[in-house]
């Protein structure tokens, strides 16, 4: 068995374990909210009529969970985000984000979530899974029986 073949088998096995965040539904949401990320879950707001599909909202909020897991404001350099915002979002959506988030430090994260949520769901869920592994790795424990990594 070649190293590449062994790696491919291991990678496919890893992919089969990839799961997304827990999804919950709530009727108790802030006004004009379709969903939000909270801890390790995505809450979908059932008391509003979103313009996006359920999958699009989950993807968007999962990007915010990834940002939180990696403890970063942005996953990409600002220059790249600026280019992607202007090449993938229409002017109305850009203006909406600026008006709603303009006075906060959250505007870049919101733009990034809107841009990256256009990636295929499988890619976003893989990113989420990797970010969850990062949390486990940096906390000094692993998902295997809660043992410290150095004891495995």
């Amino acid at each position: 068995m070649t190293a590449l073949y062994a790696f491919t088998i291991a990678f496919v096995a890893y992919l089969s374990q990839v799961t997304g965040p827990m999804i919950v539904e709530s009727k108790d949401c802030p006004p004009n909210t379709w969903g939000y990320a909270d801890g390790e879950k995505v809450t979908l707001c059932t008391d509003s009529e979103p313009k996006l599909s359920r999958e699009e909202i989950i993807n968007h909020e999962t990007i915010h969970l990834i940002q939180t897991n990696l403890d970063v404001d942005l996953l990409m350099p600002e220059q790249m985000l600026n280019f992607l915002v202007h090449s993938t979002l229409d002017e109305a959506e850009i203006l909406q984000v600026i008006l709603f988030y303009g006075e906060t430090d959250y505007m870049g994260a919101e733009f990034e979530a809107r841009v990256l949520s256009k990636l295929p769901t499988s890619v976003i869920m893989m990113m989420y899974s990797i970010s969850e592994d990062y949390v486990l790795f940096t906390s000094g424990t692993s998902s295997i029986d809660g043992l410290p990594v150095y004891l495995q």
Side-chain angles (χ1 to χ4, degrees):
M1 176 175 354
T2 67
L4 179 60
Y5 181 72
F7 172 79
T8 304
I9 290 173
F11 187 67
V12 168
Y14 175 77
L15 288 178
S16 69
Q17 298 173 12
V18 171
T19 60
M22 179 184 355
I23 309 298
V24 297
E25 294 183 352
S26 175
K27 292 183 179 187
D28 186 28
C29 292
N32 304 314
T33 303
W34 299 336
Y36 58 91
D38 181 28
E40 297 179 0
K41 68 179 185 284
V42 170
T43 300
L44 297 175
C45 300
T46 58
D47 59 345
S48 64
E49 294 197 25
K51 297 176 185 172
L52 300 175
S53 72
R54 178 183 171 94
E55 181 179 15
E56 289 170 313
I57 296 168
I58 291 170
N59 286 350
H60 176 95
E61 299 306 333
T62 301
I63 297 297
H64 288 309
L65 290 176
I66 294 166
Q67 293 164 332
T68 300
N69 284 347
L70 299 179
D71 195 25
V72 296
D73 294 327
L74 297 174
L75 301 170
M76 66 181 78
E78 262 186 67
Q79 297 83 356
M80 182 183 296
L81 177 58
N82 188 41
F83 172 78
L84 290 172
V85 164
H86 290 286
S87 61
T88 61
L89 304 180
D90 61 40
E91 289 182 17
E93 188 171 7
I94 293 170
L95 183 59
Q96 179 185 24
V97 171
I98 291 171
L99 291 174
F100 195 77
Y101 297 99
E103 299 296 320
T104 70
D105 294 333
Y106 196 66
M107 184 169 56
E110 181 62 20
F111 273 128
E112 186 173 64
R114 289 178 185 229
V115 168
L116 293 181
S117 66
K118 297 177 185 312
L119 290 170
T121 299
S122 59
V123 172
I124 293 170
M125 294 309 151
M126 174 59 75
M127 291 168 57
Y128 175 75
S129 181
I130 291 169
S131 76
E132 287 284 291
D133 289 345
Y134 173 81
V135 169
L136 290 171
F137 179 75
T138 58
S139 69
T141 61
S142 78
S143 59
I144 302 174
D145 299 323
L147 292 175
V149 173
Y150 58 84
L151 292 178
Q152 296 180 20

